[in-house]
Amino acid sequence: MQTLLGKHILLGVTGGIAAYKCAELVRRLRDEGAEVRVVMTRSATEFVTPLTFQALSGHTVHTDLLDPEAEAAMGHIELARWADAVLIAPATANMIGKLAQGIANDLLSTLCLATQAPIAVAPAMNHIMWSDQATQDNINTLRNRQIAVFGPAFGNQACGETGEGRMLETTELIEKLASIFSHESLRNTRVLITAGPTYEAIDPVRFIGNRSSGRMGFAMAEAAIEAGAKVTLIAGPVHLKTPPKVDRIDVESARQMHQAVMSQIDDCDIFIATAAVADYSPAQTHDQKLKKTEETLSIQLRRNPDILAEVAATGKVFSVGFAAETEQLEDHARKKLQSKQLDLIAANQVANHDRPDEDTGFNSEYNALDIYWANGHIQLEKARKTELARKLINIIAEHYKNKH
Ligand code: CTP
């Protein structure tokens, strides 16, 4: 199941007999390529020891909100941000009730309030408890809040009775969890994405480059695949694994990237330019390594083609640009939106000396984006690039659909 590959799954285990089945669930999630961290409620530890989950997940199991040692390793807010999805399995009637009421009196319920990731619950309880009006009202509240409810199944129960209340089997839970990450908003759509920096050669060993990691573009490619698109990714020099199902073309310089994009553009519906393309390259690339002779050295630069502007000017492709700005974010972004005739632009603040602790932008795993279009704006708050990419792909899909 490729949609779980590389995903951060926060598994919340609450106190029910089905907790023992989650040992297998952790192992199977890891087999699917997911990274799993486990949070247990106090009562869950009465059924299965944290050590079991620690051994299977490869990470310390978190049980307490106020544990200074665990908070020092990975605090609850960090855990909440780390998660791509939260799965509570088994979910007791008590935990479902707490989620419905917004109660945060232990680590797991607090995490659920603190995360922006999708949440799913897999109820497991006696069938009479499940059918009780209070439980059903709480479940409906969760559904209305877009919290996914997996199951429960009908069958024999640990209490000896038969009815609806069994936790779903591991395979079903994994399939349902994977479906959270795949939706069809870009089905039958071809998406071309540029990512990473470009290197402009000065001589055989030196180049002019930039600090772009390529993470945002790769996350966009993965999110577009999850949305059902056919994706081609044109990548500058980066150290990142190609997301599953993505066709990747590697290039080095801006001119190579330009050429690669132009060779693909007729087969594409949406172009997303996340690459940090060098605006200039050395007018002359030396065949041999330059020797130091003079006290000063000048390198003459010439303008590179603006790939995004050229693609957008064809008028045939829905074009999305990125803008990394150090000041006057909206002003600069809107000017680029207009001058390059874009449909959307995603702007982010880089190297803001007023906020040196804000770990976002070029080389970070996190980012925050402001999305502008001709008559609108939406702000996507700081989150992991993978999370932001999913949101941005949804926004792009919506605007693309409206345009056509
Ligand atoms: N872009 C491009 N080809 C270039 C330069 C930029 O496709 N030769 C794309 C980038 O991928 C990004 C957007 O254009 O989507 C950035 O716009 P740009 O005006 O080039 O931004 P900056 O390089 O930051 O411009 P400036 O230095 O003028 O702020």
Side-chain angles (χ1 to χ4, degrees):
M1 211 156 308
Q2 295 192 311
T3 41
L4 286 176
L5 187 72
K7 293 292 182 306
H8 292 181
I9 306 299
L10 190 73
L11 177 66
V13 183
T14 68
I17 183 60
Y20 82 91
K21 292 186 182 173
C22 292
E24 170 72 1
L25 179 61
V26 172
R27 210 181 54 78
R28 291 277 307 282
L29 284 169
R30 292 194 71 191
D31 288 348
E32 297 292 340
E35 210 181 307
V36 185
R37 285 179 186 266
V38 179
V39 171
M40 299 177 81
T41 60
R42 275 270 143 233
S43 57
T45 63
E46 303 286 334
F47 290 89
V48 186
T49 67
L51 198 59
T52 306
F53 287 117
Q54 181 176 319
L56 290 167
S57 68
H59 293 290
T60 309
V61 171
H62 299 253
T63 50
D64 289 315
L65 184 57
L66 304 172
D67 175 354
E69 214 173 284
E71 283 287 302
M74 194 188 231
H76 67 282
I77 296 294
E78 266 175 284
L79 261 180
R81 274 197 195 136
W82 173 89
D84 289 319
V86 177
L87 170 62
I88 303 183
T92 56
N94 180 45
M95 181 53 75
I96 289 166
K98 285 206 288 191
L99 291 187
Q101 298 307 316
I103 294 171
N105 64 352
D106 62 7
L107 177 58
L108 184 55
S109 52
T110 305
L111 280 172
C112 288
L113 285 187
T115 191
Q116 288 182 317
I119 301 174
V121 294
M125 67 195 76
N126 166 275
H127 66 106
I128 298 171
M129 286 176 77
W130 170 249
S131 58
D132 188 273
Q133 197 55 52
T135 309
Q136 287 305 307
D137 287 350
N138 288 335
I139 279 289
N140 285 334
T141 303
L142 298 193
R143 286 201 175 107
N144 289 338
R145 278 190 215 139
Q146 315 305 326
I147 292 182
V149 180
F150 298 165
F154 186 93
N156 294 336
Q157 301 214 276
C159 55
E161 296 175 11
T162 303
E164 197 178 21
R166 278 172 65 90
M167 190 168 83
L168 290 188
E169 295 305 324
T170 304
T171 307
E172 282 176 285
L173 286 180
I174 288 180
E175 272 168 17
K176 286 187 181 293
L177 188 62
S179 73
I180 282 187
F181 295 108
S182 58
H183 51 98
E184 296 285 287
S185 60
L186 287 179
R187 195 154 57 96
N188 296 330
T189 313
R190 298 158 302 174
V191 177
L192 184 64
I193 300 173
T194 61
T198 61
Y199 286 179
E200 311 301 321
I202 297 169
D203 66 20
V205 295
R206 302 182 181 97
F207 60 83
I208 299 173
N210 62 67
R211 294 184 203 280
S212 166
S213 67
R215 282 199 192 108
M216 194 65 211
F218 276 60
M220 290 297 287
E222 193 172 349
I225 286 284
E226 284 169 10
K230 183 181 173 303
V231 179
T232 304
L233 178 64
I234 298 178
V238 293
H239 302 281
L240 296 171
K241 271 208 296 202
T242 315
K245 297 195 207 165
V246 169
D247 288 328
R248 171 169 170 178
I249 301 171
D250 283 313
V251 296
E252 195 169 276
S253 67
R255 278 167 206 278
Q256 286 169 0
M257 188 173 272
H258 174 253
Q259 211 172 24
V261 167
M262 291 309 156
S263 73
Q264 300 289 321
I265 208 66
D266 289 340
D267 296 323
C268 117
D269 304 301
I270 298 176
F271 178 58
I272 305 173
T274 68
V277 188
D279 291 324
Y280 295 89
S281 55
Q284 181 195 4
T285 303
H286 296 268
D287 291 336
Q288 305 300 330
K289 193 179 160 205
L290 275 182
K291 289 291 171 196
K292 49 180 173 307
T293 47
E294 310 298 329
E295 273 311 304
T296 60
L297 173 71
S298 301
I299 298 175
Q300 198 173 19
L301 303 173
R302 63 175 170 161
R303 256 313 254 279
N304 284 329
D306 190 320
I307 307 169
L308 177 59
E310 206 173 311
V311 169
T314 65
K316 291 183 190 152
V317 178
F318 187 93
S319 300
V320 182
F322 272 71
E325 305 293 346
T326 53
E327 52 163 4
Q328 298 172 44
L329 193 73
E330 171 154 12
D331 213 31
H332 287 311
R334 285 207 175 275
K335 274 190 190 128
K336 284 178 193 172
L337 182 76
Q338 215 171 24
S339 67
K340 299 198 192 199
Q341 305 172 57
L342 308 180
D343 293 286
L344 279 178
I345 191 156
N348 70 313
Q349 188 89 30
V350 285
N352 187 335
H353 298 295
D354 298 335
R355 293 186 297 173
D357 56 342
E358 290 279 289
D359 171 30
T360 59
F362 259 27
N363 225 339
S364 163
E365 228 182 289
Y366 293 91
N367 209 351
L369 292 173
D370 282 88
I371 322 294
Y372 300 98
W373 56 93
N375 45 19
H377 163 236
I378 189 170
Q379 192 168 38
L380 301 182
E381 290 192 356
K382 180 177 170 178
R384 287 188 38 234
K385 285 181 177 173
T386 46
E387 181 70 30
L388 273 182
R390 271 181 223 127
K391 288 188 177 155
L392 182 51
I393 283 290
N394 284 339
I395 294 169
I396 292 172
E398 208 180 295
H399 282 257
Y400 174 70
K401 233 176 266 166
N402 289 343
K403 191 174 174 179
H404 295 267

